[in-house]
């Protein structure tokens, strides 16, 4: 494709995306396609000859759109908000257009240095101390894996001979921790027997007394406690573990979803003690509005990270000696996208003030919904509403059936879930386009479907 052809189709595709976003509310939120339906629309073999891109554009409507669940739909209340702010969408286009690789400083100095600057802006925006250094990772799952690898290496003295030696090292997280924690612990070689899932209290947060006891028991049995993962905003109910750093253990804070809330000073007590962390992860690609993917990973000691992630023995010198950062040594990937552009565009186009306003709107909508549920007979809340997730259940009706009926209606999308053995419905508020009207509408819909399901 020539730049001139790109110009023509590019304008068309930007128009197409703008139309898609403008008329999103007319579409069913959850994709109604059946398994295999999309695949059946795609020819079995690749084309020998090229065709005009107009045909592909038509097929976006025919093949792709029916199989899309619309995460940016104003009535999307499932999982967690995954906002793709349009400024960051444009930045993504620029990133692809430049086609730059950010593996080392020299392969595109601006990609590395803008990433440093954006991680510093973001650090200030959530008021983390300057002692933390940030790097962009693809997902929170990767960042948590990286954190546990660093914890393992520090505990085993970074010795090349023992790399990978984990016998007897134990990991602690709450029973409500995200599945990525267990996955990271297994992949990092700790083994299922050495992962302790600590019981939670009535608000579904890790019990510090139970953590202390588990650590003491392990020590008494000759094990070596290695790392604690504190979840700041659990997946099921947005519960907040107390942040405690037991002596000598690595403390990783998983604030994947709730980290965005920390741009609001009034939310910061929810991660009180975060300065003690060795590593922190949060996802600007969730509530904040950076188009997927963009995960912020902050560490207190970049030297440890670089020692573990680098394969170059010269990095066993100090990272501070280097004039520039080579970000391939700050994570798993060699090739890296120029993701910092997405943060740069979003921050500059919105400004912190507008981002704060949107998040505060969502917090108010969640409190409003909680109040409706509390005053409605037959319904109850199963968790405190600390941020934007409202977890509710109908006391008599089949809650899974209610959620399925809502989702199949196409008018809203919620997540049925099980909390400590009981079925519930999660209403996660925070899509960029969600106003009070959509929250009120999903509440009416839940009530009427409950009547039909009783
Ligand atoms: C979303 C989430 C994750 C996983 O995030 P990915 O970026 O999809 O890997 C991990 N932990 C928590 C608490 C989350 O909310």
């Amino acid at each position: 494709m020539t730049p001139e052809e790109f110009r023509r189709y590019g304008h068309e595709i930007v128009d197409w995306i703008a139309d898609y976003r403008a008329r999103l509310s007319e579409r069913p939120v959850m994709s109604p396609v059946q398994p295999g339906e999309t695949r059946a629309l795609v020819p079995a073999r690749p084309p020998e000859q090229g065709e005009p891109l107009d045909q592909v554009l038509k097929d976006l409507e025919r093949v792709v759109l029916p199989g899309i669940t619309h995460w940016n739909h104003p009535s999307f209340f499932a999982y967690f908000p995954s906002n793709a702010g349009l400024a960051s969408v444009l930045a993504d286009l620029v990133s692809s257009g430049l086609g730059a690789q950010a593996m080392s400083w020299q392969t595109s100095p601006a990609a590395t240095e803008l990433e440093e600057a954006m991680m510093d802006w973001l650090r200030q925006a959530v008021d983390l101390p300057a002692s933390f250094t940030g790097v962009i990772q693809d997902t929170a799952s990767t960042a948590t894996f990286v954190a546990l690898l660093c914890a393992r290496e520090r505990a085993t003295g970074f010795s090349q001979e023992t790399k990978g030696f984990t016998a007897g090292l134990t990991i602690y997280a709450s029973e409500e921790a995200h599945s990525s924690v267990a996955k990271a612990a297994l992949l990092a070689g700790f083994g299922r027997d050495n992962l302790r899932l600590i019981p939670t209290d009535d608000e579904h947060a890790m019990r510090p007394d139970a953590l202390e006891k588990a650590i003491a028991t392990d020590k008494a049995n000759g094990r070596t406690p290695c790392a604690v993962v504190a979840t700041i905003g659990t997946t099921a109910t947005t519960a907040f573990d107390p942040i405690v750093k037991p002596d000598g253990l690595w403390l990783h804070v998983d604030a994947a979803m709730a980290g965005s809330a920390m741009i609001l000073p009034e939310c910061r007590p929810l991660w009180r003690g975060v300065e003690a962390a060795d590593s922190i992860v949060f996802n600007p690609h969730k509530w904040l509005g950076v188009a997927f993917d963009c995960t912020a990973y902050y560490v207190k000691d970049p030297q440890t990270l670089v020692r573990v992630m680098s394969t170059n023995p010269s990095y066993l010198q100090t990272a501070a000696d280097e004039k520039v950062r080579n970000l391939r040594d700050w994570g798993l990937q060699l090739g890296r996208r120029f993701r910092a552009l997405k943060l740069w565009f979003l921050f500059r186009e919105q400004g912190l003030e507008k981002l704060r306003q949107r998040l505060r709107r969502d917090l108010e909508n969640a409190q409003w919904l909680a109040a409706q549920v509390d005053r409605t007979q037959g319904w109850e809340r199963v968790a405190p509403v600390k941020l934007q997730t409202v977890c509710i259940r109908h006391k008599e009706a089949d809650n899974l059936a209610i959620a399925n009926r809502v989702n199949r209606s196409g008018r809203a999308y919620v997540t049925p879930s099980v909390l400590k053995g009981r079925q519930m419905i999660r209403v996660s508020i925070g899509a960029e386009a969600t106003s009070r009207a959509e929250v009120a509408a999903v509440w009416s819909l839940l009530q009427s479907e409950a009547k039909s399901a009783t």
Side-chain angles (χ1 to χ4, degrees), residues 47 356 429:
R356 289 192 199 104
I429 298 168

Side-chain angles (χ1 to χ4, degrees), residues 104-148:
S104 64
W105 180 85
Q106 203 171 62
T107 60
S108 274
T112 296
E113 294 191 13
L114 197 65
E115 182 163 333
E116 291 176 26
M118 287 309 103
M119 286 295 92
D120 196 53
W121 280 14
L122 189 65
R123 179 191 65 72
Q124 294 173 59
V126 298
D127 199 32
L128 280 176
S131 50
F132 285 96
T133 309
V135 59
I136 299 179
Q137 308 280 350
D138 54 6
T139 59
S141 303
T142 301
T144 293
F145 179 49
V146 166
L148 293 192

Side-chain angles (χ1 to χ4, degrees), residues 80 138-142 144 177-181 231-235 254-258 281 283 285-286 292 295:
F80 48 82
D138 54 6
T139 59
S141 303
T142 301
T144 293
H178 190 267
S179 57
S180 60
V181 177
T231 308
I232 291 304
T234 58
T235 307
D254 176 4
M257 157 59 213
V281 62
N283 282 343
H285 70 226
K286 283 181 169 167
F292 189 81
T295 288

Side-chain angles (χ1 to χ4, degrees), residues 389-442:
T389 313
V390 187
C391 296
I392 62 177
R393 64 185 290 277
H394 193 278
K395 293 178 193 163
E396 280 120 44
D398 175 349
N399 285 274
L400 179 60
I402 299 173
N404 287 339
R405 292 171 74 104
V406 167
N407 295 346
R408 274 199 303 266
S409 79
R411 289 160 60 198
Y413 187 21
V414 295
T415 311
S417 185
V418 175
L419 179 67
K420 292 180 181 161
R422 276 204 314 185
Q423 193 76 47
M424 61 133 173
I425 301 169
R426 285 175 77 256
V427 184
S428 167
I429 298 168
E432 201 181 49
T434 303
S435 67
R436 177 68 55 84
E438 286 82 18
V439 179
V442 73

